[in-house]
Amino acid sequence: AGPAPMDSGRSPARKSTQRKRTGFVRKEDIELEKELQLKKKAEARAIAIPKSIDIMENISVSDLAKKMNIKPAELIAKLMALGVMATINQKIDAETATILASEYGCEVKIVSLYDETVIEKAADNPDDLWHRPPIVTVMGHVDHGKTKLLDAIRKTDVVSGEYGGITQHIGAYQVETPSGDRITFLDTPGHAAFTKMRARGSQVTDIVILVVSAVEGVMPQTKEAIDHAKAAGVPIIVAINKIDLPESNPDRVKTQLSELGLIPEEWGGTTQFCEISALQKKGIAELLDAILLQAEILELTASFNRMAEAKIIESRIDQGRGIVATIIVEKGTLRIGDSFVAGIFPGKVRAMFDDKGNRIEEATPSTPVEVLGFEGMPNAGDPFEVVEDEKFARAVSDKRQELKKYEEGKNVKKVTLDNLYETISAGEVQELKVIIKGDVQGSVEALKGMLEKLSTREVRLAVIRAAAGAISEDDVMMASASDAIIIGFNVRPSPAAKLLADREKVDIRKYNIIYRAQEDIQKAMEGMLSPELKEQDVGKAEVRNIFRVPKVGIVAGVYMLEGLVHRTSQVRVIRENIEIFQGKISSLKRFKDDVKEVVAGYECGIGIADCNDLKEGDILEIFETVEVARTLGKAQEDGSDKA
Ligand code: GDP
Ligand code: MG
């Protein structure tokens, strides 16, 4: 056969050259032509399939096909070959799409809502870069004096002092020191706000003030705060508070913090320590000086001469004024009448107020300001970006709202033990971050030591928190912000933490044997994690009565809180979020009858083999060991049943 008539749209010019040639048709010419055609075909295909595509968390097969310039049927066939059955309208997760596209030499970039709708901005003009005030967050253990300190600072502020010190709460405020320098304080003490902002990638804090009571010294939340600040790479200034009390012992605090890596300058370290009394307003001026010094080291600058970019700190609905949000300007100058996009909503600055409630016309970098004129309620941490005009603001918002709808309830790509190897190969992590929570400090330390030894040349294992106690919401927020996994050793997440973990898709792994944890992580790091046997939680029951039956042992009269229990299930006994026993169910009865299954909302009697410690109020976690084959879509299923 001669060369296939591939190209119906061939140009007349080419046709004529070919006709001329056909006068002396030679075999070589035909072969050459054939080769050329084949090459062209391959090239056309290579050009047709892009080298790289952008997708959000999930994508339908048809949309992916469109982006890749491939027939959907071809993709579906390829998916089948990979063990995934999908229809044209079905959505596949980003991971599957990545593997699929890689078969065609096409790289998949996972982008967020905001990446997809980036608002182009001009580069900063170096001449417009001026110093901006530092933005400070106060953190520390409960009752060590965060609120009192924020109050004391506000009242020391010379400017507001002249107005009688009446400040309204807008979530942030700015003070002016006697030297004329300004400092902005985020007035939302506590770690939740800090971590939440960071989880959304919107860290605005430049400096953390760590408040530690000189009486109590370092406490769990003190350590937590240090973890957060370190993970975010934000410098810490220590404020040793309550030095007015006779039992205060600042040196003890210094020793404790030195052990945690915060070494005072006077001891040869680099951390600034201030001794204060928030109550008596002592040492506040020195603390402010320390902040200014740190700010100078950080060389904080921003362009004042451009369209403003800011972050939402708080938002609420105010009767009579509509949606009101406090924002902190990061760049540029915000003015009345500016059109903006805040999160997924458009708006136009109708009015602005400073932290003292004064109406203002413009706001420069690091200034906290209350803004009116939003068309929808933005979330804390959302970007606030000024754009040229209303029309553009609306166009961007429309696009974001559309994307949001699409993204809603969808999988967020997080590092889990199951996808670790792929994420490492994709060059996305070189570091596996782990949070360890355990029932006793001893086992936590042991596990930490063991895991840290697992670091290899390719992957570093970093334990970013190791503490005794149940898995808290804060642990989950921290894991989400840092893309870490959580290991619970004989402990459970609190119900709120579990919910949060489900929502944030944080991988929580529970163990009661140290080397099992070590083994799993090692396998995951080596990319051979094949969880063929997996514990799957199927139900939860609360112990209401205890019966001791001769020869049988303990039978628990329980109420099924959720899920179900089978006669063949296994059970973990949980007391105050700590696992105290694990074993098999020996009997399952409703009234006097043996039954196979009891579901949520019913009472039943559960006999537990070999268990001799059970109390009213204990929680029984019912689980079954199931066999799970490792398939392409697995990482996704995993997230949901693990936490
Ligand atoms: P927060 O939980 O960290 O916000 O702590 P608060 O600011 O609410 O303070 C907790 C308690 O400690 C309150 O009763 C304060 O009055 C008290 N307190 C705060 N700072 C000092 C201080 O410098 N000296 C003394 N004696 N008490 C203080
Ligand atoms: Mg407080």
Side-chain angles (χ1 to χ4, degrees):
M6 300 266 327
D7 203 345
S8 54
R10 211 189 269 152
S11 69
R14 279 209 66 225
K15 260 183 193 158
S16 68
T17 35
Q18 198 169 21
R19 214 175 289 131
K20 252 187 234 160
R21 272 178 158 197
T22 44
F24 313 86
V25 171
R26 290 184 305 166
K27 198 162 165 259
E28 296 92 292
D29 277 344
I30 295 170
E31 288 300 316
L32 196 69
E33 182 76 10
K34 210 166 161 183
E35 236 168 66
L36 267 172
Q37 292 288 6
L38 279 174
K39 215 169 144 197
K40 256 186 68 193
K41 191 180 167 190
E43 261 167 23
R45 234 181 114 76
I47 291 164
I49 299 175
K51 286 228 156 42
S52 146
I53 55 171
D54 288 353
I55 68 168
M56 303 228 309
E57 302 302 341
N58 290 290
I59 187 161
S60 70
V61 172
S62 67
D63 284 351
L64 181 63
K66 221 178 279 165
K67 278 193 192 250
M68 290 182 59
N69 268 330
I70 289 179
K71 287 209 179 69
E74 189 177 338
L75 275 193
I76 291 171
K78 200 82 177 184
L79 273 167
M80 252 156 84
L82 290 166
V84 179
M85 301 295 156
T87 62
I88 184 158
N89 291 320
Q90 211 150 17
K91 284 184 185 144
I92 55 175
D93 64 353
E95 230 168 299
T96 311
T98 306
I99 296 168
L100 192 56
S102 73
E103 299 264 315
Y104 296 90
C106 170
E107 187 193 353
V108 169
K109 288 202 194 106
I110 299 160
V111 297
S112 79
L113 173 70
Y114 299 123
D115 294 329
E116 275 283 86
T117 52
V118 173
I119 299 174
E120 293 267 348
K121 284 156 197 140
D124 281 328
N125 179 349
D127 294 341
D128 295 333
L129 288 179
W130 295 352
H131 282 282
R132 64 169 177 85
I135 302 168
V136 179
T137 300
V138 175
M139 305 214 275
H141 195 73
V142 64
D143 278 347
H144 282 199
K146 298 178 291 293
T147 307
K148 203 83 188 163
L149 174 61
L150 280 164
D151 269 5
I153 292 169
R154 205 179 338 213
K155 283 176 191 143
T156 325
D157 174 17
V158 286
V159 177
S160 66
E162 282 164 17
Y163 292 98
I166 304 159
T167 51
Q168 61 179 71
H169 176 87
I170 68 164
Y173 64 84
Q174 202 173 55
V175 297
E176 192 174 324
T177 66
S179 56
D181 293 296
R182 290 169 186 276
I183 303 173
T184 301
F185 287 90
L186 289 182
D187 195 3
T188 40
H191 311 161
F194 185 85
T195 329
K196 227 176 248 165
M197 296 278 281
R198 201 163 76 79
R200 300 208 168 92
S202 50
Q203 180 61 54
V204 292
T205 302
D206 299 309
I207 297 167
V208 162
I209 303 292
L210 180 64
V211 178
V212 189
S213 157
V215 178
E216 279 197 280
V218 169
M219 298 293 280
Q221 284 167 293
T222 316
K223 289 189 187 159
E224 232 174 72
I226 297 173
D227 292 343
H228 283 308
K230 275 194 182 156
V234 177
I236 296 173
I237 296 174
V238 178
I240 302 180
N241 190 29
K242 308 199 184 182
I243 55 158
D244 55 292
L245 294 172
E247 62 274 38
S248 75
N249 186 350
D251 273 347
R252 187 172 73 109
V253 177
K254 288 181 194 166
T255 309
Q256 289 175 329
L257 287 175
S258 294
E259 281 161 13
L260 296 172
L262 295 177
I263 304 163
E265 286 175 318
E266 66 210 77
W267 293 2
T270 54
T271 307
Q272 297 193 74
F273 278 62
C274 293
E275 297 184 16
I276 64 164
S277 165
L279 186 73
Q280 300 181 346
K281 301 195 180 60
K282 273 195 195 136
I284 305 297
E286 288 76 7
L287 179 61
L288 297 182
D289 281 343
I291 295 170
L292 292 175
L293 181 64
Q294 185 67 58
E296 218 168 283
I297 297 168
L298 292 172
E299 293 183 22
L300 305 169
T301 58
S303 167
F304 282 51
N305 185 20
R306 59 180 295 157
M307 289 195 288
E309 280 172 50
K311 285 277 153 56
I312 306 287
I313 302 297
E314 276 187 355
S315 61
R316 66 198 146 90
I317 293 181
D318 189 319
Q319 272 206 331
R321 294 201 297 172
I323 296 165
V324 185
T326 299
I327 68 171
I328 284 199
V329 179
E330 297 181 293
K331 281 182 177 180
T333 301
L334 181 66
R335 297 191 175 82
I336 302 278
D338 280 351
S339 288
F340 62 80
V341 184
I344 58 171
F345 300 108
K348 190 173 195 142
V349 181
R350 274 201 284 121
M352 284 196 282
F353 301 90
D354 68 10
D355 52 352
K356 284 143 202 113
N358 304 314
R359 221 171 235 284
I360 52 171
E361 296 292 315
E362 52 177 50
T364 51
S366 296
T367 312
V369 53
E370 222 182 23
V371 174
L372 267 57
F374 294 82
E375 282 192 19
M377 186 114 125
N379 290 314
D382 279 352
F384 175 107
E385 298 158 284
V386 170
V387 295
E388 293 99 81
D389 54 34
E390 220 174 310
K391 203 173 137 199
F392 186 54
R394 207 160 290 283
V396 174
S397 307
D398 284 350
K399 176 81 183 155
R400 286 187 180 173
Q401 281 170 32
E402 184 192 315
L403 291 173
K404 176 90 184 170
K405 246 184 245 151
Y406 193 81
E407 202 184 30
E408 217 119 71
K410 291 292 150 45
N411 225 28
V412 185
K413 187 168 169 145
K414 283 277 153 78
V415 170
T416 68
L417 270 195
D418 295 327
N419 72 17
L420 177 66
Y421 187 69
E422 280 115 79
T423 355
I424 293 168
S425 328
E428 286 170 36
V429 289
Q430 280 79 40
E431 191 176 66
L432 173 61
K433 299 197 188 92
V434 178
I435 292 176
I436 303 172
K437 294 303 285 274
D439 50 349
V440 288
Q441 192 64 33
S443 47
V444 168
E445 289 300 328
L447 193 54
K448 178 170 184 245
M450 252 180 182
L451 292 184
E452 278 176 343
K453 283 201 207 98
L454 295 178
S455 289
T456 64
R457 215 154 23 90
E458 290 81 27
V459 198
R460 201 172 83 80
L461 194 139
V463 177
I464 56 173
R465 171 180 294 168
I471 297 163
S472 67
E473 279 174 281
D474 189 78
D475 295 327
V476 176
M477 274 325 286
M478 171 137 192
S480 175
S482 311
D483 215 351
I485 64 165
I486 300 179
I487 293 182
F489 188 73
N490 281 338
V491 292
R492 295 279 168 286
S494 66
K498 182 171 157 34
L499 272 178
L500 192 63
D502 284 346
R503 206 174 62 224
E504 299 282 326
K505 302 278 188 287
V506 168
D507 190 3
I508 298 183
R509 296 267 166 164
K510 297 174 279 194
Y511 296 96
N512 42 22
I513 303 170
I514 286 188
Y515 72 79
R516 278 291 287 279
Q518 185 196 8
E519 214 175 67
D520 263 13
I521 295 219
Q522 187 158 19
K523 275 189 194 157
M525 286 171 71
E526 288 164 0
M528 357 186 271
L529 183 76
S530 48
E532 268 129 31
L533 286 180
K534 247 181 90 149
E535 288 181 2
Q536 190 163 35
D537 291 333
V538 296
K540 201 186 250 183
E542 187 186 300
V543 177
R544 301 231 162 134
N545 306 291
I546 314 282
F547 307 98
R548 285 179 198 278
V549 184
K551 283 187 199 140
V552 176
I554 288 187
V555 172
V558 309
Y559 175 76
M560 286 303 296
L561 295 169
E562 45 185 79
L564 48 78
V565 53
H566 288 124
R567 168 70 182 79
T568 51
S569 304
Q570 288 164 281
V571 62
R572 289 184 284 255
V573 180
I574 311 294
R575 187 171 298 159
E576 276 152 15
N577 288 322
I578 291 177
E579 177 177 328
I580 56 165
F581 180 81
Q582 175 171 332
K584 287 204 172 93
I585 288 181
S586 54
S587 68
L588 181 63
K589 283 181 196 281
R590 276 211 21 94
F591 304 106
K592 295 241 156 357
D593 305 327
D594 282 315
V595 289
K596 283 207 174 110
E597 177 186 295
V598 179
V599 298
Y602 290 95
E603 292 181 331
C604 61
I606 298 181
I608 308 172
D610 306 321
C611 176
N612 42 30
D613 177 20
L614 203 59
K615 280 191 191 153
E616 262 174 54
D618 284 351
I619 296 293
L620 302 184
E621 276 182 8
I622 318 291
F623 67 98
E624 281 165 9
T625 308
V626 289
E627 235 174 277
V628 196
R630 202 160 147 75
T631 64
L632 203 63
K634 245 208 87 258
Q636 187 183 356
E637 293 162 31
D638 267 356
S640 53
D641 66 52
K642 208 166 296 139

